[in-house]
Amino acid sequence: MQLGMIGLGRMGGNIVRRIVADGHTAVGYERKPKRIDELTAELGSVKFQGATELVDFVGKLQTPRVVWVMIPAGATGAVIDQLAEVLDPGDIIIDGGNSRYHEDIKRAEQLLPKGIHYVDIGTSGGVFGLTRGFCLMIGGEADQVKYLDPLLKSIAPGVAAAERTPGRTGEPSAAEQGYLHCGPAGAGHFVKMVHNGIEYGAMQAYAEGLNILHKANIGADHDAQFSAEETPLEHPEYYRYPIDIPEVTEVWRRGSVVASWLLDLTAGALYADPNLDSFDGRVSDSGEGRWTLDAAIDTGVPAPVLSAALFARFSSRGEALYADKALSAMRKSFGGHKELPGQ
């Protein structure tokens, strides 16, 4: 089967590599000729062709064309509009980025009169997707998703990526292979949105727990804790543990209930940089956490952990600085409290 890929960055390029390795062919569209040249040299011109012009790209695709758009969400809409002008009825557009599911519903409706099918695929796997495979959450028409099955199976991790859930027998389902048709247009990105919201919460839980471990030896320097402006450490003898945090993450990886791939990655980062000196602690959010909370509010679902994790990211970027200054100003105004120097 053939796939057209718009965007040959880390995700798009690795998806192309996976399908070509599994016997498919690909055509790539990229404004940077260097990426096209590199992939052509790596994969061979029989299995991969490239184009820097959209019309040329579309012309190299076999009908019905399958075009996967893998670029930043902010640019996706404009590219899909351009594709709609040059594709034919029966062709399929896939949005594999992190678009908001609201946009998927609109795009599917707009493309319907042209006879162009639209499929949204929430894609998880990051820079490790080439070797591990990509977890795919899919929204769209059932017939089109079925048509794409050979490509999806090649992109996904496969059954061997995890032990089968106890009780599951017989032929493995698509979900067990790492891809799932979640419902009509927007369903794939909806599931991926919630996936990323959960990711925020899980990351925050690990980070907060590791920070407590980081403070576990504060009692060893308890004399420095006394100040009229801060509550003293009541029992310094309880906090005299020079915990080796990288080693803790290593032991947790083996047999612990909190073991996960996310913990594996954390352990690797801590081994390379135990004090995390190469990081400033400024954590971005790309939208999915906010959209998850919007859905939680719309549907009346409590999500205190996910909301706290999102707000913690805002705080990490200095968005709470003015509020913190206001608090300090209040304390000084009503009690004459002075700010202590930062640590």
Side-chain angles (χ1 to χ4, degrees):
M1 200 167 175
Q2 186 191 56
L3 175 67
M5 178 63 70
I6 295 182
L8 299 175
R10 289 175 298 181
M11 297 279 279
N14 283 340
I15 288 173
V16 166
R17 290 181 176 96
R18 278 190 70 84
I19 66 162
V20 167
D22 207 31
H24 304 285
T25 61
V27 178
Y29 170 79
E30 176 64 65
R31 292 180 178 179
K32 300 176 181 177
K34 181 180 178 182
R35 287 183 178 173
I36 292 174
D37 293 342
E38 290 173 349
L39 267 181
T40 303
E42 176 186 340
L43 303 176
S45 58
V46 174
K47 296 181 178 180
F48 175 80
Q49 301 177 64
T52 57
E53 298 294 334
L54 198 60
V55 173
D56 182 31
F57 165 75
V58 170
K60 291 180 177 179
L61 291 170
Q62 304 162 1
T63 57
R65 303 175 183 89
V66 178
V67 180
W68 185 307
V69 182
M70 202 64 172
I71 58 178
T76 298
V79 170
I80 289 177
D81 289 343
Q82 293 172 38
L83 281 171
E85 298 301 317
V86 293
L87 293 180
D88 296 320
D91 292 345
I92 301 171
I93 296 175
I94 299 170
D95 178 2
N98 281 329
S99 296
R100 193 172 191 179
Y101 73 97
H102 295 183
E103 299 301 319
D104 297 319
I105 296 171
K106 295 176 185 176
R107 289 169 186 157
E109 291 175 349
Q110 291 167 354
L111 292 169
L112 186 61
K114 296 177 179 289
I116 299 172
H117 304 286
Y118 180 83
V119 175
D120 55 284
I121 301 184
T123 309
S124 182
V127 296
F128 296 92
L130 175 60
T131 54
R132 290 173 59 99
F134 294 90
C135 176
L136 306 175
M137 296 144 271
I138 308 156
E141 304 163 75
D143 288 346
Q144 308 312 315
V145 175
K146 184 177 180 179
Y147 176 77
L148 296 171
D149 192 78
L151 286 171
L152 301 174
K153 190 175 292 185
S154 296
I155 296 167
V159 179
E163 293 184 7
R164 295 196 78 179
T165 299
R168 284 186 177 265
T169 58
E171 187 69 21
S173 67
E176 291 182 273
Q177 297 179 62
Y179 63 103
L180 177 66
H181 183 206
C182 302
H189 278 150
F190 187 93
V191 174
K192 177 57 162 49
M193 172 190 77
V194 176
H195 164 283
N196 283 21
I198 293 171
E199 182 181 287
Y200 282 29
M203 292 172 69
Q204 188 67 26
Y206 278 127
E208 291 179 8
L210 295 176
N211 200 21
I212 294 171
L213 293 177
H214 180 65
K215 291 287 188 178
N217 201 34
I218 194 172
D221 190 27
H222 69 280
D223 290 339
Q225 304 300 315
F226 295 105
S227 165
E229 296 299 324
E230 286 189 342
T231 303
L233 186 62
E234 186 175 359
H235 291 287
E237 67 274 17
Y238 294 162
Y239 302 98
R240 290 174 177 165
Y241 299 117
I243 304 293
D244 188 329
I245 298 175
E247 290 300 289
V248 169
T249 57
E250 278 299 323
V251 74
W252 282 353
R253 291 180 60 212
R254 294 164 174 83
S256 165
V257 171
V258 299
S260 69
W261 183 37
L262 183 55
L263 183 62
D264 294 344
L265 298 174
T266 305
L270 286 168
Y271 181 75
D273 186 0
N275 294 317
L276 302 177
D277 293 327
S278 59
F279 298 92
D280 292 328
R282 183 181 175 87
V283 187
S284 299
D285 74 286
S286 55
E288 294 89 344
R290 303 184 191 209
W291 304 336
T292 302
L293 291 184
D294 286 343
I297 292 168
D298 287 345
T299 57
V301 175
V305 172
L306 304 192
S307 61
L310 177 63
F311 293 145
R313 293 192 176 204
F314 295 166
S315 184
S316 78
R317 304 198 297 266
E319 300 298 340
L321 183 57
Y322 186 84
D324 293 339
K325 289 182 176 181
L327 288 170
S328 187
M330 291 180 219
R331 292 188 79 245
K332 184 175 182 181
S333 297
F334 66 67
H337 301 287
K338 296 180 179 180
E339 289 185 329
L340 292 175
Q343 298 180 353

